[in-house]
Structures are given as structure tokens and as C-alpha cells.
Amino acid sequence: MAEGVAIFAEWAEEGLHPVSLELLSEARLLADELEDKVQAYFLAPPDKETQAEILIRHGADEVFYVFHQCFEDFLDDVASHILAKMIRENSPEILLFPATARGQALAPRVAGYLRLGLTAHCIAFEIRKEDRTLVQIRPSFGENVMARIISLTKPQMATVRPGVFSKAKEDPTRTGRIKKIPLSDEEVKSALHIFKKHPRKAPKVDLAQARVVIAGGRGMGTKEFFAKLYELAELLEGAVGATRPVCHLGWISEEHMIGVSGHTISPKLYLGFGISGAIHHLVGIRNPGLIVAVNKDPEAPLMKKADVAVVGDVREILPLLIRRLKELKGESHEA
Amino acid sequence: MRFMVCLKPVPEPGTVKVDPKTHTLRRESATLILNPADRYALEAAVELKEKVGAEVTAVMMGPPNAIPLLKEAYACGADNIYLLSDRAFAGSDTLATSYVLSLAVQKLGPFDLIFCGKVSIDGETAQVGPELAAWLNWPSVIWVKDIRPAQNGFEVVRLTDEGEEELEVRPPALFTIEPEINDPRPPSIKRLLEMLTREVPTLTAEDLDADPSHLGLEGSPTRVLDVFTPTYEEKKEILEGPAEEVVEKLVSILKERGLI
Ligand SMILES: Cc1cc2nc3c(=O)[nH]c(=O)nc-3n(C[C@H](O)[C@H](O)[C@H](O)COP(=O)(O)OP(=O)(O)OC[C@H]3O[C@@H](n4cnc5c(N)ncnc54)[C@H](O)[C@@H]3O)c2cc1C
Ligand SMILES: Nc1ncnc2c1ncn2[C@@H]1O[C@H](COP(=O)(O)O)[C@@H](O)[C@H]1O
């Protein structure tokens, strides 16, 4: 019988990947509703047992700590094979993966091996109690609406982007079981051999952590005018974000995309310029403080969602706003 | 060597229609374009072929009106093109799609490498590639931004969340291709003309010896239950009027909130 709400717990050099704790908090809520337990699948090198303990203190009841030196590297074929085997043996009811690089490489492989349905980039879940079904919520593919999706196979699998759920709180008194599973060298034979790693030099755009996000959409008109957003971002010490069409137009790189296909942000202040506010974009804005939208169309969905809806032309409003903020800065410098 | 490239027909943004009952995309009704990311996959295969000598087979699961897209792939350097098309494929989710593609590999293979786009603009799951690799029990590497021939196979560079990694890959293997890898060439007019009157071979479920229980909406484990439009509280402040006044008001709101 299927049992348990499971997550794939990803680790990073510095410790557990933060998204692991985000998935744990959601898994805990789902498991409590199902009166079930939370399991974490943790594939890591042999010296990471303290991280397995952290998983317990953040809500896991059982950690399957599968260890081998080879997990210093990420070998897609080995990791997915072993996960598939463990999942077949333990048959959890629900299985959540982070939509990180590793998660996106692994989850579909596991789904393929086990012939399971898989829903990408969910932004919320509900439990349908009568048949213990996981209702997976994400923006619909074609329409500007949210879809409720279910999977007819078990475990019911989904991926979730970093930043969508808040991190589980630590409870030092929590106890659980760590099941240590050593792997033999035979089991970790890979067709892949990683021979060099180049860590990113410049820090990645940190939209997820930004306190202020200045986002621009197609309404900015041109790449040149879009670049004005950097000026505003500098004044407000914020990061620049964008909608998908703008990234595809090449006005800014895809790393700046906000939404179901990009980052999930939780800023104190979000300023959106020339953005219609399609659901695909809006789901990327979680727990914002203040949302300000500037759009000439007062009926645009972002204008409806905004706390402050500025009706006007970005070509007028943005330069004025930049000028006014510069003046203010000047004043405070003089003061 | 033999390479396969998976090309997806996608509705041109803005022309999509959705089946009101199943909420799956109705591809027959839309204007189809080649999924933008797949151009880089095709170009990567063709460039590698030019380096190592190989044959490139482009495969597309889609409706018959996608055929011009395959002809374009031929004009961009594919040697063989195949449409996988059957009413039974309609409504397939990623598992069912990757199953059909895996049958094409059985039928048209053996292949040394399979190239997929990084992600599609309609499904946008980025699942079909790695799922196909799992059906075949092949290794896969996602987000590949460089491929070089090497002693025992290939050396590839992949993007990761931390930066980049260089790997040695023993074929057969499947790659999903990062758009920064190349600049796709324009179609050759000569090859387009050559295709003008040519039939594009189409493989049906029967040709592929498909197990009907894995196909289409019925064979897809995921189901859209329903759709809804989120509602927002109407708590907002609307600023309208001359731009100067509006900006002044906005600045004072930001000040009040301690945001500037
Ligand atoms: C599967 C899928 C995934 C997607 N993922 C994402 C995602 O992650 N992120 C994302 O952002 N999108 C995503 N999209 C696209 C999304 O559906 C919308 O198409 C997109 O967000 C719209 O971008 P936009 O607001 O910049 O452009 P538009 O919708 O064209 O809006 C432009 C707005 O600017 C306003 N405007 C025009 N000129 C001016 C002016 N001079 N002054 C003021 N206002 C002006 C217009 O009134 C309009 O409201 C996805 C789509 C699909 C199908
Ligand atoms: N119907 C299809 N026919 C051929 N290839 C496909 C099809 N669907 C998806 N693919 C391949 O899988 C990649 C990822 O698609 P997706 O999982 O929809 O984001 C695409 O870029 C294609 O290379």
C-alpha cells in the first residue's frame, strides 16, 4: 500500500539546499492532513549524516540516506536509477521534487522509469480527502487561468520551484528515523564522468532574495527604454525582473524572468512597468509587501492585483519617477 | 554515427485554443511553429554531424499540418524527417509523448545521440527529454551548452545551478540543448525547394507497434480536473491624472511605507 509524503532532499556544498526545507514544510502539511508520515530521499556522500538530522528536525519522520562517494558529483543516470528503485520499494503516495537543475534532471527520469504522471512547477497543493488525491495547482498551459491537475498514478509526482513555499521551522526536539543505505561500487556505475567544475564567478541574479524588484514587460516598448529600469533599480537598491516575452525579445537574459517559468520572488516592494499580469507571471510574486503597477490599461490583471495602480504611460511615468527620486536623494545628501 | 533530433510543433503564441472539456491544447486549430528551443537542438546535431560525420534524423510527434515544419528542418540540415501522427496520440501528456518518441527510436534507430530542446513554449515542462531517456534506459544530460567529440564518446559542458560542469559521456545518450550553444542557420532555399513536392513519411501508432494503453489522453496519467481564475481583493489605490501629480503621489506612498 502506498504510504508517506516524500521529498527529494537536495544538498549543496554549504549544507542542505534551502528548497529542501521548503518542500519539507509543505510535505509536513500534506502528511498531517493525510495522517501520514513524511519521508525524505537524501542521496549524498558519506559525511553528510548531520544534514540528514537537519531534515528530521525540520519535519521528516524518515530519511532514506543513500550514501556513496560518487554523490560528490551529480550523476543523473545513477541518481535516478537508485531513486526509482527506492521509490518502487517504499511506494510513497506523494513525491515532490525541487525544480532546481538537479531536480529537473531527475524527476522526469524517475517518472519515466516508473511510468508515472509528473506535474511541473506547481504553486500550491490541496488534498482531496475522500480518495487521498493530491490536487496539483499551476497555471494552465494555454489559458490565462489556473489549473487543478491530478495524477492517476502513485506516487503522485510534482516539481516545485525554489521560493514557492516558506521554509520549515526547526524543532530541535523532533525525532525520526535515519535509514542509512550504503551503495556498492557496482550500483553507481555511470555513463557520465564529470571531470571539471566551473563555479559561477559573478553571483547569480538574486531575485529570490531581493527586497525591491523592478520588473518590466512588453509595454516598455524597446530594449533601450527597458534599460531605464536599471537606473530605477539602482536608486531603490533593487533587482530588475522581467516577463517572459521580454526575455525572449532579448531585452534582458532569461535569468531575470519572473513567473512559473522563472523566479519566485517575495519582495517588500514590487514595481511592474508595462506588464499585463498574466497568471504565468503573477504566480512568481509570492507574499509581496507592496505591489505597484504602471500601465495605461486600468483593466490589466496586474492593475487589479496591485495595491497601487498607476494609470499612465510608462514613457512618462518612469522618467519622472527617476527624476523625483534623484532629487530626493540629492536633498537627503544635502541634509 | 546516427543522431536523432526531437522537434515539437507548438502553437504560435496567441493562437492557442483549449478544449473546453479536457483543457488540453487543441493543436489542430492553432497556427503551428517549430518550438523555438528546438532550433538550437537541430543546429547542434547538424554542426556535430559536420564535425564527426553522421546522419541526422528529425522526428516530430504532431498533427499532419506540422509537416511544413519538418520540411524546414530538412532545409536546415536534417537528412531524414519523420512525422509521428495518429489520432490516438491526441491529448498525450509528457509520459505518453516520450513513450511515442521512444518507439520511434526503436523503429528508426539505432542512434548514438538524441537531441531535444531545453523546454517547449507551450507545455513548458522540460520533461519529455529526460523521460524519453528513461524509457530507453539511456543517460541524459540537460542544459548542454557545448559538445565536442572525444576519445570514448563526447565531452559536453552543462549548465548547473552553481555554474558549469564538463563531463565525458559515453553514448548512447540524450542531451537537452541550451540555446546559447549556437546560432541556428537559416533554411537552405535549395533544400526547401527539393522538399516542395516530396511526401514526408508518417508513422502511425500501428507502424510503431504502440501499446494503445500508453497513448493519448487515455494513456496519460495526468488529468486536468478544472480551471479557475484567481480573484484578488480590491484593496487598491488608483492613481490617475497628470503624470507629475501621479508620480508625486506614488513617491509619498513609498515614503509613508518606509520603502524609500
Ligand atoms: C506555459 C507558459 C509559461 C509562461 N511562463 C511565463 C513566466 O514565467 N513569466 C512570464 O512573465 N510570462 C510567462 N508566460 C507568458 C505569459 O502568459 C504572458 O504572455 C506574459 O507574461 C505577458 O508579458 P507582458 O506583460 O510583458 O506583455 P503583454 O501581455 O503584452 O502586456 C503588455 C502590457 O503593457 C501595457 N502597455 C503597453 N504600452 C504601454 C505604455 N506605453 N505604458 C504603459 N503600459 C503599456 C499594455 O497595456 C499591457 O498590459 C508563459 C506562458 C506560457 C504559455
Ligand atoms: N510532440 C513532440 N515531438 C517531438 N519532440 C517533442 C515533442 N514534445 C516535446 N518534445 C521534445 O522535448 C523537449 C521538451 O519539451 P517539453 O517537455 O514540452 O518542455 C522539446 O524541446 C522537444 O525537443
Side-chain angles (χ1 to χ4, degrees):
Chain A
M1 204 198 83
E3 231 190 323
V5 177
I7 69 154
F8 172 71
E10 184 168 343
W11 63 277
E13 299 288 324
E14 323 77 66
L16 277 176
H17 193 298
V19 74
S20 304
L21 302 185
E22 295 168 11
L23 292 187
L24 264 187
S25 73
E26 182 65 13
R28 188 70 260 168
L29 290 175
L30 298 173
D32 288 347
E33 203 160 337
L34 290 167
E35 298 178 25
D36 208 339
K37 60 191 175 191
V38 171
Q39 303 170 331
Y41 290 88
F42 183 53
L43 277 52
D47 60 344
K48 298 279 186 262
E49 194 166 348
T50 48
Q51 294 191 11
E53 287 158 10
I54 295 175
L55 290 167
I56 301 270
R57 292 203 296 277
H58 285 81
D61 300 302
E62 255 176 355
V63 177
F64 296 93
Y65 172 29
V66 187
F67 63 92
H68 191 279
Q69 203 54 45
C70 80
F71 292 131
E72 282 294 346
D73 290 328
F74 175 59
L75 303 170
D76 312 51
D77 51 351
V78 171
S80 55
H81 214 191
I82 285 164
L83 269 172
K85 190 177 129 211
M86 307 264 320
I87 287 156
R88 201 181 279 126
E89 281 167 14
N90 293 292
S91 55
E93 273 199 284
I94 292 173
L95 176 59
L96 306 180
F97 274 81
T100 52
R102 292 190 181 87
Q104 291 193 72
L106 275 180
R109 289 189 64 92
V110 171
Y113 278 137
L114 300 176
R115 318 289 191 244
L116 300 174
L118 172 60
T119 309
H121 313 326
C122 295
I123 59 125
F125 297 110
E126 287 165 3
I127 294 287
R128 196 169 70 189
K129 271 233 172 100
E130 60 272 26
D131 57 359
R132 299 175 75 82
T133 295
L134 178 73
V135 180
Q136 308 155 354
I137 301 175
R138 59 155 290 154
S140 147
F141 295 122
E143 306 153 288
N144 204 6
V145 290
M146 293 288 202
R148 286 194 188 86
I149 298 167
I150 58 165
S151 180
L152 305 179
T153 45
K154 279 194 178 169
Q156 305 162 84
M157 274 185 87
T159 69
V160 180
R161 287 196 185 272
V164 169
F165 297 119
S166 40
K167 277 196 206 104
K169 296 227 163 48
E170 176 156 20
D171 174 358
T173 63
R174 265 198 63 99
T175 52
R177 197 160 64 107
I178 298 176
K179 220 172 150 191
K180 289 169 70 172
I181 303 155
L183 292 180
S184 69
D185 292 343
E186 197 50 41
E187 284 172 288
V188 303
K189 281 232 169 81
S190 177
L192 312 176
H193 167 63
I194 297 170
F195 62 90
K196 215 184 269 172
K197 295 184 191 178
H198 306 273
R200 192 175 281 103
K201 281 180 220 91
K204 222 172 151 186
V205 199
D206 206 356
L207 274 169
Q209 303 299 327
R211 218 180 62 91
V212 175
V213 172
I214 320 290
R218 198 143 52 177
M220 292 298 285
T222 61
K223 184 173 181 172
E224 288 66 40
F225 190 66
F226 186 89
K228 270 211 149 331
L229 295 175
Y230 296 107
E231 252 181 85
L232 183 60
E234 204 178 310
L235 284 163
L236 294 172
E237 293 169 33
V240 174
T243 62
R244 190 176 79 164
V246 162
C247 298
H248 285 179
L249 283 166
W251 294 357
I252 192 167
S253 77
E254 285 198 16
E255 270 187 65
H256 295 262
M257 195 191 300
I258 295 168
V260 63
S261 325
H263 291 280
T264 303
I265 57 171
S266 312
K268 294 255 180 305
L269 171 64
Y270 168 98
L271 281 152
F273 291 89
I275 293 178
S276 61
I279 275 180
H280 303 105
H281 182 74
L282 295 187
V283 295
I285 314 172
R286 302 290 282 194
N287 321 311
L290 189 76
I291 298 186
V292 179
V294 183
N295 199 313
K296 58 185 185 189
D297 174 10
E299 298 303 318
L302 182 61
M303 296 285 273
K304 297 248 183 277
K305 183 176 166 116
D307 304 295
V308 181
V310 180
V311 187
D313 191 325
V314 291
R315 281 165 300 192
E316 272 188 83
I317 305 284
L318 180 58
L320 276 175
L321 180 61
I322 290 175
R323 204 171 72 202
R324 192 70 193 98
L325 290 173
K326 276 189 179 154
E327 282 169 15
L328 281 173
K329 275 230 153 136
E331 282 165 23
S332 67
H333 275 300
E334 280 156 34
Chain B
M1 256 187 284
R2 303 190 72 233
F3 302 156
M4 178 169 124
V5 187
C6 299
L7 303 176
K8 182 179 190 181
V10 296
E12 173 142 41
T15 69
V16 196
K17 294 204 178 57
V18 176
D19 188 309
K21 264 193 15 229
T22 60
H23 301 290
T24 52
L25 305 183
R26 290 174 75 158
R27 288 169 205 282
E28 328 77 62
S29 60
T31 313
L32 295 177
I33 59 169
L34 187 59
N35 180 44
D38 299 358
R39 291 188 184 275
Y40 303 92
L42 174 61
E43 177 67 23
V46 173
E47 284 182 12
L48 193 61
K49 149 186 135 175
E50 288 165 350
K51 257 189 230 160
V52 301
E55 187 183 71
V56 174
T57 300
V59 170
M60 174 180 277
M61 181 182 112
N65 56 333
I67 282 180
L69 307 177
L70 274 170
K71 292 187 170 182
E72 195 183 329
Y74 177 83
C76 292
D79 301 291
N80 317 305
I81 49 180
Y82 290 92
L83 184 72
L84 316 177
S85 196
D86 199 302
R87 296 190 91 92
F89 300 161
S92 292
D93 68 2
T94 60
L95 188 71
T97 301
S98 55
Y99 170 65
V100 172
L101 292 172
S102 77
L103 298 177
V105 177
Q106 311 295 347
K107 196 88 193 170
L108 306 170
F111 294 107
D112 301 278
L113 293 178
I114 299 178
F115 295 73
C116 286
K118 179 180 187 177
V119 61
S120 67
I121 57 165
D122 60 340
E124 195 140 80
T125 68
Q127 284 169 195
V128 168
E131 279 181 346
L132 168 58
W135 280 101
L136 300 169
N137 201 12
W138 286 17
S140 53
V141 183
I142 67 168
W143 305 359
V144 169
K145 52 161 281 192
D146 193 21
I147 309 170
R148 313 180 279 261
Q151 199 133 54
N152 298 317
F154 297 92
E155 281 179 15
V156 306
V157 182
R158 73 167 161 201
L159 286 184
T160 66
D161 284 340
E162 295 82 30
E164 291 175 7
E165 281 175 1
E166 293 187 59
L167 323 81
E168 226 169 61
V169 182
R170 237 178 311 120
L174 180 145
F175 302 142
T176 81
I177 301 297
E178 192 58 44
E180 67 179 80
I181 195 171
N182 56 37
D183 286 311
R185 70 196 67 191
S188 131
I189 305 291
K190 185 170 148 278
R191 286 176 73 89
L192 266 183
L193 291 176
E194 213 180 295
M195 268 293 135
L196 217 48
T197 55
R198 210 137 1 121
E199 288 274 330
V200 172
T202 299
L203 302 175
T204 61
E206 202 185 331
D207 298 329
L208 293 168
D209 302 316
D211 172 351
S213 71
H214 286 315
L215 298 178
L217 196 59
E218 277 306 305
S220 294
T222 54
R223 288 282 191 293
V224 180
L225 275 184
D226 59 3
V227 299
F228 62 99
T229 311
T231 50
Y232 308 111
E233 296 165 47
E234 295 276 330
K235 50 174 179 182
K236 73 171 156 298
E237 201 154 344
I238 300 173
L239 307 183
E240 252 175 315
E244 276 86 4
E245 284 171 28
V246 165
V247 167
E248 209 46 57
K249 187 85 217 301
L250 175 59
V251 168
S252 65
I253 292 174
L254 296 181
K255 264 192 188 158
E256 264 166 45
R257 301 272 191 136
L259 292 163
I260 49 175

mmCIF file of all heavy atoms in Angstrom, chain A residues 299-327:
data_model
loop_
_atom_site.group_PDB
_atom_site.id
_atom_site.type_symbol
_atom_site.label_atom_id
_atom_site.label_comp_id
_atom_site.label_asym_id
_atom_site.label_seq_id
_atom_site.Cartn_x
_atom_site.Cartn_y
_atom_site.Cartn_z
ATOM 1 N N GLU A 299 -7.528 48.061 -16.837
ATOM 2 C CA GLU A 299 -8.168 46.744 -16.719
ATOM 3 C C GLU A 299 -7.163 45.599 -16.735
ATOM 4 O O GLU A 299 -7.542 44.437 -16.584
ATOM 5 C CB GLU A 299 -9.170 46.536 -17.862
ATOM 6 C CG GLU A 299 -10.323 47.531 -17.887
ATOM 7 C CD GLU A 299 -11.106 47.521 -16.581
ATOM 8 O OE1 GLU A 299 -11.354 46.419 -16.059
ATOM 9 O OE2 GLU A 299 -11.441 48.614 -16.077
ATOM 10 N N ALA A 300 -5.884 45.892 -16.934
ATOM 11 C CA ALA A 300 -4.883 44.812 -16.978
ATOM 12 C C ALA A 300 -4.895 44.063 -15.645
ATOM 13 O O ALA A 300 -5.037 44.681 -14.589
ATOM 14 C CB ALA A 300 -3.502 45.394 -17.258
ATOM 15 N N PRO A 301 -4.763 42.736 -15.680
ATOM 16 C CA PRO A 301 -4.846 41.951 -14.429
ATOM 17 C C PRO A 301 -3.859 42.411 -13.348
ATOM 18 O O PRO A 301 -4.213 42.418 -12.174
ATOM 19 C CB PRO A 301 -4.522 40.524 -14.882
ATOM 20 C CG PRO A 301 -4.814 40.491 -16.339
ATOM 21 C CD PRO A 301 -4.630 41.877 -16.864
ATOM 22 N N LEU A 302 -2.670 42.826 -13.736
ATOM 23 C CA LEU A 302 -1.722 43.274 -12.709
ATOM 24 C C LEU A 302 -2.244 44.534 -12.016
ATOM 25 O O LEU A 302 -2.022 44.736 -10.827
ATOM 26 C CB LEU A 302 -0.332 43.537 -13.309
ATOM 27 C CG LEU A 302 0.741 43.955 -12.296
ATOM 28 C CD1 LEU A 302 0.975 42.871 -11.248
ATOM 29 C CD2 LEU A 302 2.060 44.286 -12.984
ATOM 30 N N MET A 303 -2.963 45.362 -12.758
ATOM 31 C CA MET A 303 -3.532 46.579 -12.173
ATOM 32 C C MET A 303 -4.606 46.204 -11.157
ATOM 33 O O MET A 303 -4.836 46.905 -10.186
ATOM 34 C CB MET A 303 -4.107 47.462 -13.272
ATOM 35 C CG MET A 303 -3.063 47.976 -14.247
ATOM 36 S SD MET A 303 -2.064 49.297 -13.542
ATOM 37 C CE MET A 303 -3.072 50.726 -13.950
ATOM 38 N N LYS A 304 -5.278 45.078 -11.411
ATOM 39 C CA LYS A 304 -6.306 44.612 -10.474
ATOM 40 C C LYS A 304 -5.663 44.052 -9.215
ATOM 41 O O LYS A 304 -6.166 44.178 -8.118
ATOM 42 C CB LYS A 304 -7.158 43.527 -11.133
ATOM 43 C CG LYS A 304 -7.926 44.001 -12.340
ATOM 44 C CD LYS A 304 -9.404 43.992 -12.028
ATOM 45 C CE LYS A 304 -10.257 44.389 -13.212
ATOM 46 N NZ LYS A 304 -10.420 45.789 -13.422
ATOM 47 N N LYS A 305 -4.545 43.382 -9.403
ATOM 48 C CA LYS A 305 -3.888 42.744 -8.262
ATOM 49 C C LYS A 305 -3.103 43.753 -7.423
ATOM 50 O O LYS A 305 -2.884 43.558 -6.229
ATOM 51 C CB LYS A 305 -2.949 41.636 -8.764
ATOM 52 C CG LYS A 305 -2.272 40.879 -7.630
ATOM 53 C CD LYS A 305 -1.412 39.729 -8.126
ATOM 54 C CE LYS A 305 -0.491 39.236 -7.018
ATOM 55 N NZ LYS A 305 -0.741 37.878 -6.596
ATOM 56 N N ALA A 306 -2.686 44.857 -8.066
ATOM 57 C CA ALA A 306 -1.778 45.805 -7.408
ATOM 58 C C ALA A 306 -2.425 46.491 -6.211
ATOM 59 O O ALA A 306 -3.638 46.642 -6.134
ATOM 60 C CB ALA A 306 -1.331 46.845 -8.423
ATOM 61 N N ASP A 307 -1.575 46.902 -5.265
ATOM 62 C CA ASP A 307 -2.041 47.744 -4.170
ATOM 63 C C ASP A 307 -2.131 49.186 -4.636
ATOM 64 O O ASP A 307 -3.001 49.927 -4.223
ATOM 65 C CB ASP A 307 -1.055 47.659 -2.995
ATOM 66 C CG ASP A 307 -0.852 46.231 -2.548
ATOM 67 O OD1 ASP A 307 -1.824 45.632 -2.056
ATOM 68 O OD2 ASP A 307 0.261 45.699 -2.741
ATOM 69 N N VAL A 308 -1.186 49.553 -5.484
ATOM 70 C CA VAL A 308 -1.204 50.879 -6.066
ATOM 71 C C VAL A 308 -1.180 50.724 -7.584
ATOM 72 O O VAL A 308 -0.221 50.199 -8.142
ATOM 73 C CB VAL A 308 0.016 51.711 -5.610
ATOM 74 C CG1 VAL A 308 -0.043 53.107 -6.221
ATOM 75 C CG2 VAL A 308 0.085 51.778 -4.097
ATOM 76 N N ALA A 309 -2.269 51.136 -8.220
ATOM 77 C CA ALA A 309 -2.360 51.011 -9.673
ATOM 78 C C ALA A 309 -2.197 52.388 -10.285
ATOM 79 O O ALA A 309 -3.046 53.258 -10.102
ATOM 80 C CB ALA A 309 -3.692 50.394 -10.062
ATOM 81 N N VAL A 310 -1.099 52.576 -10.978
ATOM 82 C CA VAL A 310 -0.834 53.866 -11.598
ATOM 83 C C VAL A 310 -1.271 53.793 -13.062
ATOM 84 O O VAL A 310 -0.704 53.028 -13.842
ATOM 85 C CB VAL A 310 0.666 54.219 -11.519
ATOM 86 C CG1 VAL A 310 0.931 55.570 -12.182
ATOM 87 C CG2 VAL A 310 1.132 54.215 -10.071
ATOM 88 N N VAL A 311 -2.294 54.549 -13.400
ATOM 89 C CA VAL A 311 -2.772 54.541 -14.776
ATOM 90 C C VAL A 311 -1.973 55.584 -15.559
ATOM 91 O O VAL A 311 -2.036 56.769 -15.258
ATOM 92 C CB VAL A 311 -4.272 54.900 -14.846
ATOM 93 C CG1 VAL A 311 -4.783 54.708 -16.266
ATOM 94 C CG2 VAL A 311 -5.059 54.035 -13.866
ATOM 95 N N GLY A 312 -1.205 55.117 -16.514
ATOM 96 C CA GLY A 312 -0.423 56.081 -17.276
ATOM 97 C C GLY A 312 0.562 55.407 -18.202
ATOM 98 O O GLY A 312 0.670 54.173 -18.228
ATOM 99 N N ASP A 313 1.246 56.243 -18.948
ATOM 100 C CA ASP A 313 2.217 55.754 -19.927
ATOM 101 C C ASP A 313 3.574 55.619 -19.244
ATOM 102 O O ASP A 313 4.063 56.587 -18.652
ATOM 103 C CB ASP A 313 2.285 56.762 -21.086
ATOM 104 C CG ASP A 313 3.072 56.213 -22.270
ATOM 105 O OD1 ASP A 313 4.046 55.469 -22.048
ATOM 106 O OD2 ASP A 313 2.696 56.528 -23.418
ATOM 107 N N VAL A 314 4.167 54.443 -19.347
ATOM 108 C CA VAL A 314 5.469 54.237 -18.701
ATOM 109 C C VAL A 314 6.504 55.230 -19.214
ATOM 110 O O VAL A 314 7.401 55.636 -18.481
ATOM 111 C CB VAL A 314 6.009 52.796 -18.896
ATOM 112 C CG1 VAL A 314 5.169 51.799 -18.124
ATOM 113 C CG2 VAL A 314 6.086 52.421 -20.364
ATOM 114 N N ARG A 315 6.357 55.659 -20.469
ATOM 115 C CA ARG A 315 7.352 56.571 -21.032
ATOM 116 C C ARG A 315 7.302 57.946 -20.366
ATOM 117 O O ARG A 315 8.260 58.697 -20.394
ATOM 118 C CB ARG A 315 7.153 56.698 -22.549
ATOM 119 C CG ARG A 315 7.738 55.494 -23.299
ATOM 120 C CD ARG A 315 7.245 55.434 -24.714
ATOM 121 N NE ARG A 315 5.795 55.311 -24.738
ATOM 122 C CZ ARG A 315 5.089 55.010 -25.826
ATOM 123 N NH1 ARG A 315 5.689 54.818 -26.972
ATOM 124 N NH2 ARG A 315 3.779 54.914 -25.761
ATOM 125 N N GLU A 316 6.142 58.237 -19.746
ATOM 126 C CA GLU A 316 6.045 59.486 -18.989
ATOM 127 C C GLU A 316 6.392 59.240 -17.527
ATOM 128 O O GLU A 316 7.158 59.987 -16.916
ATOM 129 C CB GLU A 316 4.608 60.003 -19.055
ATOM 130 C CG GLU A 316 4.289 60.887 -20.230
ATOM 131 C CD GLU A 316 2.896 61.469 -20.039
ATOM 132 O OE1 GLU A 316 2.771 62.482 -19.327
ATOM 133 O OE2 GLU A 316 1.937 60.865 -20.569
ATOM 134 N N ILE A 317 5.778 58.203 -16.961
ATOM 135 C CA ILE A 317 5.864 57.982 -15.510
ATOM 136 C C ILE A 317 7.287 57.626 -15.084
ATOM 137 O O ILE A 317 7.803 58.193 -14.114
ATOM 138 C CB ILE A 317 4.898 56.850 -15.077
ATOM 139 C CG1 ILE A 317 3.467 57.145 -15.518
ATOM 140 C CG2 ILE A 317 5.003 56.589 -13.588
ATOM 141 C CD1 ILE A 317 2.732 58.168 -14.713
ATOM 142 N N LEU A 318 7.912 56.705 -15.798
ATOM 143 C CA LEU A 318 9.213 56.205 -15.339
ATOM 144 C C LEU A 318 10.282 57.298 -15.280
ATOM 145 O O LEU A 318 10.930 57.465 -14.245
ATOM 146 C CB LEU A 318 9.653 55.016 -16.207
ATOM 147 C CG LEU A 318 10.999 54.390 -15.847
ATOM 148 C CD1 LEU A 318 11.008 53.893 -14.401
ATOM 149 C CD2 LEU A 318 11.342 53.241 -16.790
ATOM 150 N N PRO A 319 10.464 58.088 -16.357
ATOM 151 C CA PRO A 319 11.490 59.139 -16.267
ATOM 152 C C PRO A 319 11.202 60.143 -15.146
ATOM 153 O O PRO A 319 12.109 60.569 -14.442
ATOM 154 C CB PRO A 319 11.417 59.821 -17.639
ATOM 155 C CG PRO A 319 10.784 58.818 -18.547
ATOM 156 C CD PRO A 319 9.857 58.030 -17.699
ATOM 157 N N LEU A 320 9.922 60.466 -14.958
ATOM 158 C CA LEU A 320 9.565 61.404 -13.890
ATOM 159 C C LEU A 320 9.898 60.822 -12.520
ATOM 160 O O LEU A 320 10.420 61.507 -11.642
ATOM 161 C CB LEU A 320 8.068 61.720 -13.952
ATOM 162 C CG LEU A 320 7.638 62.821 -14.911
ATOM 163 C CD1 LEU A 320 6.119 62.918 -14.934
ATOM 164 C CD2 LEU A 320 8.247 64.160 -14.481
ATOM 165 N N LEU A 321 9.580 59.547 -12.371
ATOM 166 C CA LEU A 321 9.828 58.894 -11.083
ATOM 167 C C LEU A 321 11.326 58.872 -10.789
ATOM 168 O O LEU A 321 11.764 59.155 -9.663
ATOM 169 C CB LEU A 321 9.253 57.474 -11.101
ATOM 170 C CG LEU A 321 9.420 56.656 -9.826
ATOM 171 C CD1 LEU A 321 8.717 57.320 -8.645
ATOM 172 C CD2 LEU A 321 8.865 55.234 -10.002
ATOM 173 N N ILE A 322 12.103 58.554 -11.815
ATOM 174 C CA ILE A 322 13.555 58.513 -11.631
ATOM 175 C C ILE A 322 14.054 59.911 -11.235
ATOM 176 O O ILE A 322 14.849 60.064 -10.305
ATOM 177 C CB ILE A 322 14.251 58.029 -12.926
ATOM 178 C CG1 ILE A 322 13.946 56.541 -13.139
ATOM 179 C CG2 ILE A 322 15.754 58.269 -12.878
ATOM 180 C CD1 ILE A 322 14.473 55.968 -14.435
ATOM 181 N N ARG A 323 13.535 60.938 -11.924
ATOM 182 C CA ARG A 323 13.990 62.302 -11.631
ATOM 183 C C ARG A 323 13.643 62.691 -10.193
ATOM 184 O O ARG A 323 14.464 63.204 -9.454
ATOM 185 C CB ARG A 323 13.354 63.272 -12.624
ATOM 186 C CG ARG A 323 14.178 64.553 -12.776
ATOM 187 C CD ARG A 323 13.680 65.416 -13.897
ATOM 188 N NE ARG A 323 12.414 66.036 -13.538
ATOM 189 C CZ ARG A 323 11.540 66.488 -14.448
ATOM 190 N NH1 ARG A 323 11.779 66.359 -15.736
ATOM 191 N NH2 ARG A 323 10.412 67.051 -14.068
ATOM 192 N N ARG A 324 12.423 62.360 -9.817
ATOM 193 C CA ARG A 324 11.950 62.733 -8.474
ATOM 194 C C ARG A 324 12.788 62.028 -7.400
ATOM 195 O O ARG A 324 13.146 62.628 -6.385
ATOM 196 C CB ARG A 324 10.465 62.352 -8.350
ATOM 197 C CG ARG A 324 9.765 62.896 -7.174
ATOM 198 C CD ARG A 324 9.571 64.412 -7.268
ATOM 199 N NE ARG A 324 9.171 64.952 -5.969
ATOM 200 C CZ ARG A 324 10.013 65.515 -5.108
ATOM 201 N NH1 ARG A 324 11.288 65.658 -5.406
ATOM 202 N NH2 ARG A 324 9.589 65.955 -3.933
ATOM 203 N N LEU A 325 13.094 60.764 -7.622
ATOM 204 C CA LEU A 325 13.869 60.019 -6.621
ATOM 205 C C LEU A 325 15.296 60.548 -6.541
ATOM 206 O O LEU A 325 15.891 60.597 -5.467
ATOM 207 C CB LEU A 325 13.868 58.518 -6.951
ATOM 208 C CG LEU A 325 12.533 57.806 -6.754
ATOM 209 C CD1 LEU A 325 12.602 56.383 -7.278
ATOM 210 C CD2 LEU A 325 12.125 57.810 -5.288
ATOM 211 N N LYS A 326 15.829 60.963 -7.697
ATOM 212 C CA LYS A 326 17.182 61.536 -7.695
ATOM 213 C C LYS A 326 17.196 62.838 -6.896
ATOM 214 O O LYS A 326 18.111 63.083 -6.111
ATOM 215 C CB LYS A 326 17.646 61.800 -9.135
ATOM 216 C CG LYS A 326 18.238 60.572 -9.792
ATOM 217 C CD LYS A 326 18.885 60.929 -11.126
ATOM 218 C CE LYS A 326 19.483 59.683 -11.758
ATOM 219 N NZ LYS A 326 19.547 59.812 -13.224
ATOM 220 N N GLU A 327 16.143 63.634 -7.121
ATOM 221 C CA GLU A 327 16.041 64.889 -6.369
ATOM 222 C C GLU A 327 16.025 64.600 -4.872
ATOM 223 O O GLU A 327 16.733 65.235 -4.100
ATOM 224 C CB GLU A 327 14.755 65.625 -6.739
ATOM 225 C CG GLU A 327 14.832 66.359 -8.068
ATOM 226 C CD GLU A 327 13.439 66.839 -8.527
ATOM 227 O OE1 GLU A 327 12.501 66.847 -7.683
ATOM 228 O OE2 GLU A 327 13.303 67.192 -9.703
#
